[in-house]
Amino acid sequence: MPKKLITLALTAALAACAGAPPEPAPPEQRSPEDVKLTLNLPEESDNCVCQTAAENDRTFLERGMETLADGDYIEAVQYFQRYQRLEQLPMAQWEGDLAIAYVSMLPSSPFYDVDAALRAYTDLQSREPDGHKHHSIVLMQQALESFVLMERHIWDLESRAGMLQEDLDKREQALKRLRELTLGQPED
């Protein structure tokens, strides 16, 4: 019987130990200054090119570019105007104006007006802001520059053609008069 008693006593002791969990130790009180978080962020450098809070949201500008590429000129101009209303920075105002001037130089556009495009481009040159321009705006600006240069060449050629026509008319009149004097009779 002593064996049974020992087994029974051991079983009771084990059951008592297993049933009652040990009492946890009170948590340590730590101040917020003691807690250090380690974040896996890149180190800041002096030559960091970070976006500023003043960066334009170019969503409407890009939508305008997409609709312009699809040939919907009216909706594109509306997007450019929304972009200008949403963004109050000088760069956004200038970009919107340049995009609208670009639309006015396209012959298939309902806003086609050569003189307005030339005036707008001249105005835009005088107030071009410094800073990063949207890549599509840079292309539009280059296209407007080419357009203005082409229009100047056309104007020069038309002017020269007009002068040559006047000169030709004068020569024809002089030849006619010379024939009349030489032959003594008016030409039909």
Side-chain angles (χ1 to χ4, degrees), residues 7-176:
T7 306
L8 192 55
L10 280 175
T11 306
L14 283 174
C17 288
E23 197 168 304
E28 292 181 34
Q29 296 295 326
R30 295 171 35 177
S31 68
E33 292 81 26
D34 293 338
V35 177
K36 291 183 181 179
L37 295 176
T38 304
L39 301 176
N40 190 16
L41 297 175
E43 292 184 28
E44 290 184 27
S45 67
D46 294 336
N47 57 359
C48 175
V49 180
C50 303
Q51 288 185 345
T52 62
E55 190 72 27
N56 292 333
D57 177 9
R58 292 188 164 127
T59 306
F60 282 123
L61 180 66
E62 290 170 353
R63 286 183 186 169
M65 298 295 180
E66 290 171 9
T67 57
L68 183 61
D70 291 338
D72 191 350
Y73 303 106
I74 295 172
E75 188 174 348
V77 168
Q78 290 172 346
Y79 276 124
F80 298 143
Q81 290 169 339
R82 285 182 196 144
Y83 174 63
Q84 288 180 306
R85 282 192 304 269
L86 178 69
E87 300 295 330
Q88 297 300 315
L89 295 174
M91 179 62 77
Q93 300 303 310
W94 186 84
E95 287 176 328
D97 286 342
L98 191 122
I100 292 169
Y102 177 83
V103 173
S104 69
M105 74 162 217
L106 299 174
S108 57
S109 166
F111 303 109
Y112 180 66
D113 185 350
V114 174
D115 295 329
L118 293 172
R119 282 190 308 273
Y121 180 72
T122 303
D123 176 55
L124 289 165
Q125 277 185 312
S126 67
R127 60 182 181 97
E128 182 176 350
D130 292 331
H132 176 71
K133 296 170 189 73
H134 191 273
H135 59 276
S136 296
I137 293 295
V138 172
L139 292 174
M140 287 179 166
Q141 182 181 16
Q142 293 170 352
L144 275 168
E145 287 173 13
S146 297
F147 176 75
V148 167
L149 183 61
M150 181 186 68
E151 284 298 315
R152 286 183 186 147
H153 286 304
I154 290 171
W155 187 84
D156 288 343
L157 290 173
E158 288 174 346
S159 176
R160 287 182 190 160
M163 289 180 359
L164 288 173
Q165 186 63 45
E166 287 177 17
D167 189 40
L168 182 61
D169 291 342
K170 287 179 184 178
R171 287 179 187 219
E172 286 178 357
Q173 291 295 326
L175 282 173
K176 184 178 177 181

